[in-house]
């Protein structure tokens, strides 16, 4: 199999594209979609020895998969809905991900503030059950703590009427960094994964079975004909678009729910433990989660009619989060305090009961197989990405009567995996790559592009050379998290980032200006007016 890395480990997009153009090339499995679902399927397929190609229309994790609440969790809310099977599955997968990517997934302490004796009883019993369901893969036991201890652990929480708190454990992670590391693991295991490649058509044999797809290189405008034995539709909120290519006029298979998060300075919530508000004014769950020395507050759950690659937060969602946070924090955040606001959309299997609300629809995944043998994954979430991939490849083997190959991903360490590590290190999320980046930085340690976000020019070069970043947005939104952590600061450093990237990619001044203009417009949408 052709190696897509240079002798120094650099990933070569041109080499990928030349491989796609080779006459007679055929893949066992073509995966459409480079978010959590597609990456999970591709990793599962390549780890079983299948010749696998993943294509993504934008950047890896551009959509929903970079806009989560940053939690790898069993799903306390699903427990309240009585979905024990999903909680059990997610709890097991949480433990496996914590083991396989310890540089990105950590044990996060959560505290539920309790303001009534009934809530104390309810949450204590419920979270003990949550522990029990996770079994040996639980991250730690839940306990009730006193009012005094709750106030000590949650400085800034509203003290009036507080009875105490319930402590429990879940996982916290960096979503887009995980996506990049999974893509790297796919490459290292002999698979192919390439961003900015959009599927624009499907083609079939005379008997109506899919044999591949037409893929457009967004950068060059060149179209490629990709032959594959199996095509997997793992495009999240856009699955119906691919299904329409396969069967124009077919019915809707998913509904879309939008979640919004705001990012605040740590002064509004300085605790190391995350805050979980289990029941807000309209019955939703809200979190305040420490993340990269900031605090992420969200999420909302609002049905929307249209799937978008770059969704915008609705005013009512922003106001809901600010109002709810103000009810629990002594220092009430205002619009002017929001460092960044971002929205993501969740693909939920369309409910059969039209009266069912999005917060009641199960997040469990579902596989459908079209008459053309298009395999589509509906629903799901980051926590269970590995299990989703395993289930999909099992289904492919079953439907096509391929000899079953056992899954190995439960014990497969992802690129960068290293433990222990210090989360006070600004490069901790690179895992084992951090040492290599620091070698490059040697002698220029103080020359930050952004001192407050700890972003160095060498990180930009690393993102281009090793992590397939193609745009300023790729670097500032997903290879680093600058856009989500401080939109104004990311906008400030964008011109310098563009200039560094232009040198790496051999682009001209026009490209630099186009990139800065596009990113500035994007960053403005992450800032509250």
């Amino acid at each position: 199999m052709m190696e897509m890395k240079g002798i120094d480990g650099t990933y070569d997009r041109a080499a990928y594209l030349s491989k796609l153009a080779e006459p007679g090339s055929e893949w066992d499995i073509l995966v459409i979609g480079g978010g959590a679902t597609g990456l999970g399927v591709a990793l599962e397929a390549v780890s079983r020895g299948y010749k696998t190609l993943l294509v993504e229309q934008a950047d890896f994790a551009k959509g929903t998969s970079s806009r989560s609440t940053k939690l790898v969790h069993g799903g306390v809310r699903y427990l309240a809905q009585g979905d024990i099977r999903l909680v059990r599955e997610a709890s097991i997968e949480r433990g496996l991900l914590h083991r396989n990517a310890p540089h990105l997934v950590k044990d996060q302490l959560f505290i539920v503030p309790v303001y009534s004796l009934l809530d104390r009883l309810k949450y204590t019993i419920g979270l003990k059950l949550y522990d029990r369901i996770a079994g040996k893969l639980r991250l730690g036991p839940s306990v009730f703590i006193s009012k005094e201890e709750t106030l000590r652990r949650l400085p800034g929480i509203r003290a009036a009427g507080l009875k105490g708190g319930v402590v429990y454990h879940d996982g916290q992670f960096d979503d887009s960094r995980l996506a990049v590391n999974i893509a790297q693991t796919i490459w290292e295991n002999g698979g192919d994964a390439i961003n900015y490649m959009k599927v624009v058509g499907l083609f079939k044999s005379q008997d109506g079975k899919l044999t591949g797809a037409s893929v457009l290189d967004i950068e060059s405008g060149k179209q490629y004909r990709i032959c594959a034995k199996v095509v997997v539709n793992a495009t999240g909120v856009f699955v119906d678009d691919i299904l329409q290519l396969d069967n124009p006029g077919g019915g809707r298979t998913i509904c879309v729910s939008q979640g919004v998060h705001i990012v605040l300075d740590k002064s509004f919530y300085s605790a190391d433990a995350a805050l979980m508000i289990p029941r807000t004014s309209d019955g939703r769950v809200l979190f305040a989660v420490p993340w990269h020395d900031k605090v992420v507050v969200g999420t909302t759950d609002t049905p929307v009619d249209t799937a978008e690659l770059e969704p915008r937060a609705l005013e009512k969602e922003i106001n809901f989060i600010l109002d709810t946070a103000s009810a629990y924090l002594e220092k009430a955040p205002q619009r002017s305090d929001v460092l960044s606001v971002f929205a993501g959309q969740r693909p939920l299997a369309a409910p059969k009961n039209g009266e069912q609300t999005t917060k009641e629809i199960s997040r469990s995944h579902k596989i459908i197989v079209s008459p053309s043998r298009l395999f589509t994954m509906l629903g799901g979430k980051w926590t269970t990405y590995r299990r989703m991939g395993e289930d999909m490849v099992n289904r492919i083997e079953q439907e096509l009567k391929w000899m079953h190959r056992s899954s190995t991903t439960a014990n497969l360490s992802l690129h960068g995996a290293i433990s222990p590590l210090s989360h006070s290190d600004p490069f901790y999320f690179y895992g084992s790559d951090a040492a290599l980046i620091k070698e490059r930085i040697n002698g220029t340690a103080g020359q930050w592009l952004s001192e407050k976000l700890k972003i160095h020019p060498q990180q930009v070069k690393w993102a281009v050379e090793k992590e397939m970043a193609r745009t300023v947005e790729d670097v500032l939104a997903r290879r680093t998290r600058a856009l989500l952590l401080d939109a104004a600061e990311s906008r400030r450093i964008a011109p310098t980032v563009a200039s560094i990237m232009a040198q790496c990619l051999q682009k001209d001044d026009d490209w630099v200006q186009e990139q800065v203009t596009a990113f500035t417009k994007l960053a403005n949408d992450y800032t509250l007016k």
Side-chain angles (χ1 to χ4, degrees), residues 73-281:
H73 60 109
V76 174
R77 64 182 290 180
Y78 314 136
L79 185 63
Q81 295 170 8
D83 197 340
I84 303 297
R85 185 197 63 78
L86 178 58
V87 175
R88 171 65 176 165
E89 177 181 270
S91 297
I92 291 171
E93 292 301 319
R94 177 192 63 188
L96 295 177
L97 190 49
H98 183 251
R99 185 175 70 194
N100 294 335
H103 60 303
L104 291 176
V105 182
K106 69 169 187 170
D107 176 8
Q108 175 66 60
L109 207 66
F110 286 75
I111 299 179
V112 183
V114 172
Y115 290 91
S116 74
L117 294 177
L118 178 61
D119 282 348
R120 172 180 175 172
L121 180 65
K122 181 170 61 176
Y123 297 133
T124 300
I125 294 174
L127 289 166
K128 283 295 183 186
L129 177 59
Y130 194 53
D131 293 345
R132 189 175 182 84
I133 290 171
K136 293 180 180 179
L137 286 174
R138 74 176 186 178
L139 299 179
S142 62
V143 294
F144 179 81
I145 57 176
S146 67
K147 173 181 179 179
E148 293 72 25
E149 180 68 7
T150 302
L151 290 172
R152 186 184 71 79
R153 293 199 190 189
L154 297 181
I157 194 71
R158 177 169 58 84
L162 184 68
K163 306 296 183 186
V166 181
V167 176
Y168 74 100
H169 295 254
D170 242 326
Q172 188 253 29
F173 80 136
D174 189 309
D175 45 14
S176 72
R177 290 300 314 174
L178 179 60
V180 170
N181 285 166
I182 295 171
Q184 291 172 305
T185 309
I186 292 168
W187 298 329
E188 290 162 356
N189 281 271
D192 300 317
I194 187 165
N195 48 3
Y196 295 100
M197 299 291 286
K198 182 176 182 177
V199 170
V200 293
L202 301 172
F203 50 88
K204 305 176 182 180
S205 61
Q206 289 185 345
D207 63 355
K209 304 304 182 188
L210 284 178
T211 56
S214 296
V215 182
L216 177 69
D217 178 7
I218 298 298
E219 293 189 5
S220 69
K222 182 177 179 179
Q223 200 158 303
Y224 295 82
R225 183 179 176 92
I226 307 298
C227 296
K229 297 173 185 175
V230 172
V231 179
V232 175
N233 177 11
T235 53
V237 294
F238 300 106
V239 293
D240 283 336
D241 293 349
I242 302 299
L243 286 166
Q244 285 293 316
L245 290 178
D246 176 53
N247 179 31
R252 190 179 69 159
T253 63
I254 65 162
C255 61
V256 181
S257 170
Q258 178 164 297
V260 168
H261 302 79
I262 65 170
V263 178
L264 300 170
D265 184 78
K266 202 171 183 180
S267 62
F268 286 90
Y269 183 79
S270 59
D272 292 328
L275 169 68
M276 198 269 268
I277 302 167
R279 192 167 184 83
T280 60
S281 59

Side-chain angles (χ1 to χ4, degrees), residues 25 122 153 198 217 224 237 300 326 345 401 439 482 484 509 518 524:
S25 291
K122 181 170 61 176
R153 293 199 190 189
K198 182 176 182 177
D217 178 7
Y224 295 82
V237 294
T300 56
S326 297
Q345 295 182 336
K401 307 224 170 6
E439 284 180 15
L484 273 61
D509 291 343
N524 288 342

Side-chain angles (χ1 to χ4, degrees), residues 27-31 210 228-232 373 375 396 400 402:
W27 279 262
D28 293 324
I29 299 176
L30 169 63
V31 180
L210 284 178
K229 297 173 185 175
V230 172
V231 179
V232 175
R373 288 205 305 231
F375 290 78
I396 290 169
L400 274 63
W402 290 356

